[in-house]
Amino acid sequence: MQSIVEGFAGQAERQPEKTVLLFEGKEFTYNQLYRQVVRFSEALKRWGLKRGERVAIFLENCPEFVIAYLGTHLAGGVVVLVNTQYRQVELRHILTDAEVRLCVTDLTGGEELARLKAELPQLEALVLVGGGDIDAFQSFEFEAFLDTAPASQSPVAFPSGEDLAIIAYTSGTTGRSKGAMLLHSNLASNIETLTSSWRWTENDRLLLTLPLFHAHGLMVGLHGTLTTGASAELRRRFEAGPVFETLQQDSRITMFFGVPTMYGRLLAEAKQRNVTPRRLRLFVSGSAPLSEQLFYEFEEVFGQRILERYGMTETIMNTTNPYEGERRAGTVGKPFPGQEARVVHVKTGEPLPDGESGEIEVRGPHVFKGYWKRPEATAEAFTPDGWFKTGDLGWRSPDGYFTINGRARELIISGGYNVYPREVEEVLEQHPNVAEAAVLGLPDPDLGEQVVAVVVVAPGAKISGEELVAYCREQLASYKKPRRIIFADALPRNALSKVQKHLLKEQVEANI
Ligand code: MLC
Ligand code: AMP
């Protein structure tokens, strides 16, 4: 299998009548989904998409997401993933940087893009799920777009492993996110080792509530389903009550994947209802640290251990606790077969002995090609012998389990979403009434970490916390908005005038 779409097509040929997706009461067989994928790909080609051109998907979870994703790949296009919470700052940057000509979205997304029309000269067309019309662009209703596919289809040609499959924007340490270029071979090799490690088979059914616009939902949840011939019940979003009920009542569901926030909420549901939860074949957690306390409490109430794994956008999945064998609390397990991981000294880059803490580096067929149009950032991210520097800090036990205990870069992980402080600071500092701002991550019992901003108001100016939060929501994804704003007279700086975040954090924590 060189690509996910090829693996999916193979399953569609092998078991055409098998259910692959369930969504809001509708079922799709492999054959039905495959036929729609081919139509979408033909429609894209007729519209004028050339091989290697980018198609953005700016959409909540729904079957059309899956059709557009696979259809773009089948047409030789590159998918640009866009979080539905993204607003003006992120959309402007991503769609311009990736030179997107066509975007698959819904009416709400289309309206947000229309506001940016003047700044997105390269964006020509929208394909709108659920219909509607956006005057600013050439717009098609999704079904009508499929109908533009020519009646006689060209022979199916799958992409090669070396072709670019996805550009996923991540790690905006400078305030601007970078597009991680993932090849079809990265996606295919990672899902092959993952599905065999987790014993994923066609008999599995996954309850998939993670958003498809990030690695966890898409490159683990969806890819695993499509390539093993399994099925997934797809939800628009995660809601703890309904999810808990489905897990209890629907014995066809064998797996659930989530971020720790979701597990905390499911645990609260179980306790509140005072029922014994049904056992599943597999619960997986990732995208943020799963605390030992949650790991053990979950085991006590659900009667089984969550399998914790570690990944990132640039490398998809890196390490995993074992399916059989000890799932060790607080650890992220060992590298998947066929992939490598090591710990090196943060300054010298020399490999460290077991037990010593340093930066985690990974190498293997899962590691991305580089950052889109950013050769310098790409060069900086790799060692000369091809190890990718993850920016995560940790150590390895003598029996090979990795533990993550910090981050070399500034990053807040809130409910499994990454927030880069610099990006939020830049938006705050653009406000005319703000002189300077520092953004921190403070512990949060539900989200793991929460975004907090310390703001110095411009001389003579006045602004309230509510106004600043509203301003951030206008410009940025809502999950990046500060949950709390603290006003200060000045920010602590060192001799080089760099803000001393650790000191600021201590001061803020002491005053809460
Ligand atoms: C939503 N909100 C958040 C938030 N999610 N705020 C902070 N952190 C978050 N994670 C805000 C919304 O903007 C909104 O604000 C308010 O909370 C309610 O929105 P909601 O949609 O009702 O939120 P909720 O259902 O509570 O969402 C929580 C969640 C969601 C945990 C279900 O955040 C989620 O799906 N997280 C998963 C993220 C994920 O898939 N990460 C994987 C990345 S891949 P307002 O102001 O508008 O009301 C990766 C690699 C790897 O990291 O290893 O997997
Ligand atoms: P992203 O760039 O959104 O893909 O986020 C990747 C980051 O999430 C990693 O670099 C880690 O910092 C973090 N992460 C993912 N999985 C885990 C985990 N199991 N434990 C701790 N951190 C994790």
Side-chain angles (χ1 to χ4, degrees):
M1 170 174 83
Q2 294 208 44
S3 64
I4 302 300
V5 67
E6 183 184 337
F8 163 66
Q11 294 295 348
E13 197 174 286
R14 199 172 67 83
Q15 41 176 7
E17 298 314 320
K18 165 103 189 268
T19 297
V20 55
L21 268 190
L22 298 97
F23 182 75
E24 297 183 345
K26 275 171 66 182
E27 288 197 23
F28 293 77
T29 64
Y30 269 88
N31 183 44
Q32 284 166 337
L33 189 67
Y34 183 63
R35 287 209 327 258
Q36 302 279 63
V37 167
V38 173
R39 282 174 74 207
F40 191 88
S41 125
E42 293 292 328
L44 271 183
K45 287 191 273 183
R46 168 161 281 197
W47 176 80
L49 190 88
K50 309 272 181 319
R51 292 192 80 78
E53 277 191 331
R54 276 76 54 205
V55 170
I57 306 184
F58 178 36
L59 206 53
E60 273 187 338
N61 287 0
C62 58
E64 290 86 349
F65 188 118
V66 181
I67 293 164
Y69 174 72
L70 294 169
T72 300
H73 283 170
L74 197 56
V78 179
V79 171
V80 177
L81 297 171
V82 187
N83 187 319
T84 49
Q85 287 202 33
Y86 286 169
R87 290 294 168 262
Q88 306 286 296
V89 168
E90 297 103 338
L91 293 173
R92 188 186 301 125
H93 169 59
I94 293 174
L95 297 189
T96 309
D97 189 63
E99 298 160 48
V100 169
R101 288 175 56 215
L102 181 140
C103 176
V104 186
T105 184
D106 58 14
L107 195 55
T108 317
E111 282 165 356
E112 194 68 29
L113 292 170
R115 292 173 60 198
L116 279 169
K117 164 77 183 158
E119 294 165 85
L120 299 174
Q122 77 299 328
L123 184 61
E124 295 168 35
L126 304 181
V127 178
L128 296 169
V129 174
D133 193 17
I134 302 285
D135 287 344
F137 304 100
Q138 179 188 23
S139 60
F140 301 90
E141 196 270 320
F142 192 86
E143 285 298 324
F145 187 68
L146 290 182
D147 287 340
T148 64
S152 67
Q153 288 156 6
S154 43
V156 166
F158 296 113
S160 110
E162 286 309 298
D163 289 340
L164 191 52
I166 293 177
I167 302 182
Y169 280 80
T170 182
S171 55
T173 37
T174 56
R176 290 217 172 275
S177 58
K178 302 187 283 271
M181 297 189 289
L182 289 155
L183 306 179
H184 288 285
S185 61
N186 298 140
L187 308 176
S189 77
N190 194 246
I191 206 63
E192 277 177 338
T193 187
L194 182 146
T195 49
S196 81
S197 299
W198 295 354
R199 314 281 185 267
W200 199 330
T201 73
E202 62 184 34
N203 300 324
D204 280 305
R205 177 166 294 176
L206 172 69
L207 180 58
L208 182 48
T209 70
L210 286 156
L212 291 175
F213 44 71
H214 281 305
H216 198 167
L218 180 71
M219 303 178 215
V220 185
L222 186 68
H223 289 180
T225 300
L226 298 175
T227 57
T228 55
S231 58
E233 180 172 337
L234 185 68
R235 292 275 162 94
R236 227 171 255 282
R237 54 201 292 275
F238 174 83
E239 287 169 290
V243 165
F244 185 82
E245 278 161 24
T246 304
L247 294 179
Q248 278 302 82
Q249 290 159 12
D250 189 346
S251 58
R252 292 167 303 178
I253 290 175
T254 60
M255 300 193 293
F256 179 80
F257 301 166
V259 298
T261 300
M262 295 177 179
Y263 284 107
R265 294 185 188 178
L266 287 177
L267 185 62
E269 287 291 329
K271 285 182 178 168
Q272 195 198 327
R273 292 164 195 249
N274 203 16
V275 292
T276 309
R278 187 174 69 85
R279 287 177 72 90
L280 257 57
R281 187 178 76 73
L282 187 60
F283 282 103
V284 176
S285 174
S287 312
L290 179 70
S291 71
E292 293 196 26
Q293 188 189 340
L294 185 49
F295 177 89
Y296 285 122
E297 267 196 63
F298 188 92
E299 182 179 18
E300 206 179 301
V301 174
F302 282 71
Q304 64 188 114
R305 288 190 166 192
I306 298 173
L307 182 154
E308 184 173 6
R309 91 310 176 271
Y310 156 56
M312 64 191 301
T313 304
E314 289 94 333
T315 61
I316 330 174
M317 294 301 115
N318 290 320
T319 68
T320 180
N321 269 280
Y323 182 74
E324 285 128 12
E326 188 198 358
R327 297 183 193 164
R328 197 175 293 171
T331 81
V332 293
K334 304 176 183 182
F336 281 98
Q339 305 181 175
E340 298 173 276
R342 67 178 188 181
V343 178
V344 301
H345 192 284
V346 174
K347 293 223 166 69
T348 65
E350 285 300 311
L352 291 173
D354 288 340
E356 283 189 35
S357 199
E359 181 170 359
I360 299 175
E361 293 184 342
V362 298
R363 189 166 69 174
H366 60 311
V367 177
F368 76 136
K369 178 88 177 158
Y371 296 108
W372 171 253
K373 300 198 296 197
R374 302 285 294 271
E376 281 164 23
T378 304
E380 266 172 39
F382 287 91
T383 67
D385 50 351
W387 290 88
F388 174 67
K389 305 170 188 170
T390 63
D392 290 311
L393 303 178
W395 54 280
R396 189 176 64 181
S397 69
D399 59 354
Y401 283 70
F402 283 75
T403 297
I404 297 173
N405 60 9
R407 295 169 207 136
R409 64 214 146 121
E410 263 198 79
L411 163 66
I412 300 167
I413 305 185
S414 167
Y417 282 136
N418 288 6
V419 182
Y420 292 89
R422 195 60 221 140
E423 189 180 26
V424 185
E425 287 162 1
E426 279 181 9
V427 166
L428 286 168
E429 287 173 356
Q430 273 161 20
H431 193 286
N433 294 3
V434 172
E436 51 180 355
V439 169
L440 310 166
L442 291 191
D444 183 281
D446 177 43
L447 297 169
E449 287 181 284
Q450 62 164 280
V451 178
V452 174
V454 181
V455 169
V456 179
V457 177
K462 267 203 174 128
I463 181 105
S464 70
E466 292 78 42
E467 283 173 280
L468 279 179
V469 170
Y471 174 72
C472 285
R473 286 197 54 186
E474 175 88 354
Q475 305 280 319
L476 291 171
S478 163
Y479 65 85
K480 298 179 185 171
K481 69 182 181 288
R483 297 243 155 187
R484 191 185 302 227
I485 300 225
I486 296 164
F487 291 99
D489 295 334
L491 300 177
R493 293 184 181 272
N494 65 14
L496 300 169
S497 114
K498 192 172 169 350
V499 176
Q500 292 177 293
K501 289 263 174 103
H502 58 285
L503 212 67
L504 193 59
K505 203 166 173 174
E506 282 169 21
Q507 288 172 3
V508 169
E509 280 176 321
N511 287 313
I512 282 178

